[in-house]
Amino acid sequence: MSILSTGLEKLQHFALAPTAVRTTNLDGTAVDLADYEGDIVVILDVANGGTSTLDVKIQSSDTSGGTYSDVTTAFYRGGSEVASAAVAFVQASTTASKQYLVFPKGAAKRWIKAVSTTSSSSHTYSINAVGTKKYV
């Protein structure tokens, strides 16, 4: 039991985009991964009732205010690898959707953020992540 509780103490939740109704594209707030190790789990939670399409991807940069590029390696919840020009969630539309992506910290640069594109409508959604903090 002590091994499990020690591992859970290291898990840290961080919001890439808190729950909100959004009517424009999102260029999220950057999160520093310097104190994390291992895999990062990103969760997209979209409420029912959107009226158009929603595309979400994860980008990274060496510095908070630097130039961001798409993270290109991740895994779906079932374990299948997603390797492409951009790691993105499956496009959401008018129905509720909860999706997970996992990427190794080494697949991203120091800072990550979520970026979304919506086709001229509103969606209620959040983008959250969980990672393992390094021992200090």
Side-chain angles (χ1 to χ4, degrees), residues 3-4 10 17-19 21 34 45 59 66-67 70 74 79-80 87 89 92 99 102 110-111 118 125 127:
I3 292 173
L4 178 59
K10 291 174 53 179
T19 303
V21 176
D45 192 3
Q59 294 187 326
T67 301
D70 297 337
S80 60
V87 170
F89 291 96
Q99 302 177 42
V102 179
R110 179 173 175 172
W111 295 84
T118 185
Y125 64 97
I127 307 164

Side-chain angles (χ1 to χ4, degrees), residues 1-2 9 23-24 38 40 51 66 83 85 88 91 94 99 103-105 109 116-117 124-125 135:
M1 189 63 102
S2 64
E9 289 172 1
T23 57
T24 60
I40 305 295
T51 55
Q91 187 179 69
T94 59
Q99 302 177 42
F103 66 89
K105 180 192 168 206
K109 297 175 185 170
S116 74
T117 305
T124 302
Y125 64 97
Y135 279 120

Side-chain angles (χ1 to χ4, degrees), residues 12-20 22 26 31 40-46 56 58 89 98-103 112 114 125-131:
Q12 181 73 38
H13 164 266
F14 51 94
L16 295 171
T19 303
R22 294 182 177 85
L26 170 74
V31 174
I40 305 295
V41 179
V42 183
I43 305 149
L44 170 65
D45 192 3
V46 182
V56 178
I58 306 301
F89 291 96
K98 182 172 277 188
Q99 302 177 42
Y100 306 84
L101 284 176
V102 179
F103 66 89
I112 64 166
Y125 64 97
S126 65
I127 307 164
N128 292 284
V130 178

Side-chain angles (χ1 to χ4, degrees), residues 61-90:
S61 175
D62 291 322
T63 60
S64 174
T67 301
Y68 281 78
S69 58
D70 297 337
V71 174
T72 58
T73 300
F75 300 89
Y76 287 120
R77 184 174 160 195
S80 60
E81 185 173 356
V82 181
S84 66
V87 170
F89 291 96
V90 175

